[in-house]
Amino acid sequence: MENPFGFIEHHFVKNNSFESFEDFHFKLKVFQNEFNNRYHSTIKGNPIELFEKEKAFLIPLPKENIFLPSLFSLRKATSDCLISYNGNRYSVPHYFIGKEVWVKSYKGLKLEVYSQAKKLIATHPIPLNKGNIIIDKSHYKSYSNIQQNSFDSLKHKFLERFCEFNDKELFLDLIKSQKRLNPAYHLKHILSLFEYYDTKDCICVMQECIKYHIFNYHFAKSELQRYSLKTDALSEVKSFAVTSKNVKRSLKEYAYGRNQQS
């Protein structure tokens, strides 16, 4: 066929309607099967029978996918084993954390992810809308065990330091639920930050985290700086008040006082 796209446009797309891209793909397959099994006077048979005869003479495709570089886009995997593409996030195997990978959309139906060596490492369906997180649980199979152990270790360290904090268990549970893919990473950075601040200030900040349901390093840092400034200012006032009480001198120290006594 000299003009396959024109044929599809006029005999399939025109006067047709589709509920979704998946619906379009399904109906196109039906149309394709009907067309390939229909008798054509030009070839004296149907296309599917002719294809079976010619199949043995066709050159096989290469085992490795070879695409033009312009079809690929670079993405960097986050600490949660995710990459971002067109408004959605997709998982990659955990050993690609922090590394750059190639991504390519295949017919608008699925996303293919390749290593730097152009080896296929992940395949995901592309959803119709944006804002989704598409996860292949096998990408976290061994990684989740490592992270869980790490979180338990950090949890023990956290409870030792903040044993007097009434909502300590709630704080940890909320980190795990909000940062479900990598809670240990966020807890580690928050604990590292807390090492430089007073325990009471840290507890005040954690209460703010619970109040606003925000559990990340940058929010905790900004709140700690605010509480530290408040504490320093209060200390200066107290110091001044204590010093001012000691500023007392007898009248004898002054000329007026000596004259009065004489």
Side-chain angles (χ1 to χ4, degrees), residues 157-196:
K157 182 180 178 181
F158 174 87
L159 293 175
E160 280 188 341
R161 167 90 188 269
F162 301 107
C163 56
E164 61 188 77
F165 180 33
N166 294 332
D167 294 324
K168 51 185 177 291
E169 293 290 349
L170 175 62
F171 182 81
L172 292 169
D173 289 341
L174 289 173
I175 285 185
K176 289 188 74 174
S177 62
Q178 190 183 93
K179 310 294 183 182
R180 58 191 180 87
L181 296 179
N182 194 357
Y185 173 85
H186 299 278
L187 181 57
K188 178 182 178 182
H189 280 72
I190 290 174
L191 277 175
S192 298
L193 176 66
F194 283 172
E195 290 178 2
Y196 301 97

Side-chain angles (χ1 to χ4, degrees), residues 181-231:
L181 296 179
N182 194 357
Y185 173 85
H186 299 278
L187 181 57
K188 178 182 178 182
H189 280 72
I190 290 174
L191 277 175
S192 298
L193 176 66
F194 283 172
E195 290 178 2
Y196 301 97
Y197 292 89
D198 181 73
T199 299
K200 290 183 178 179
D201 287 344
C202 294
I203 290 175
C204 289
V205 167
M206 286 189 283
Q207 288 172 337
E208 292 294 299
C209 291
I210 293 172
K211 179 180 178 180
Y212 295 103
H213 208 70
I214 301 175
F215 303 89
N216 63 58
Y217 171 86
H218 298 291
F219 177 78
K221 183 178 181 180
S222 63
E223 289 298 298
L224 275 171
Q225 290 173 342
R226 186 167 66 85
Y227 273 98
S228 295
L229 288 173
K230 188 186 296 183
T231 303

Side-chain angles (χ1 to χ4, degrees), residues 14 41 67 92-93 115 132 140 144 155 169 201 204 208 224 257:
K14 190 175 181 180
S41 57
F67 304 106
V92 296
S115 67
N132 300 283
Y140 299 87
S144 58
K155 178 180 177 180
E169 293 290 349
D201 287 344
C204 289
E208 292 294 299
L224 275 171

Side-chain angles (χ1 to χ4, degrees), residues 3 23 25 52 61 111 119 121 159 174 209 212 235 261:
N3 186 13
D23 182 46
H25 189 259
E52 291 298 327
L61 292 171
L111 183 72
K119 181 180 179 181
I121 60 172
L159 293 175
L174 289 173
C209 291
Y212 295 103
S235 298
Q261 290 182 352

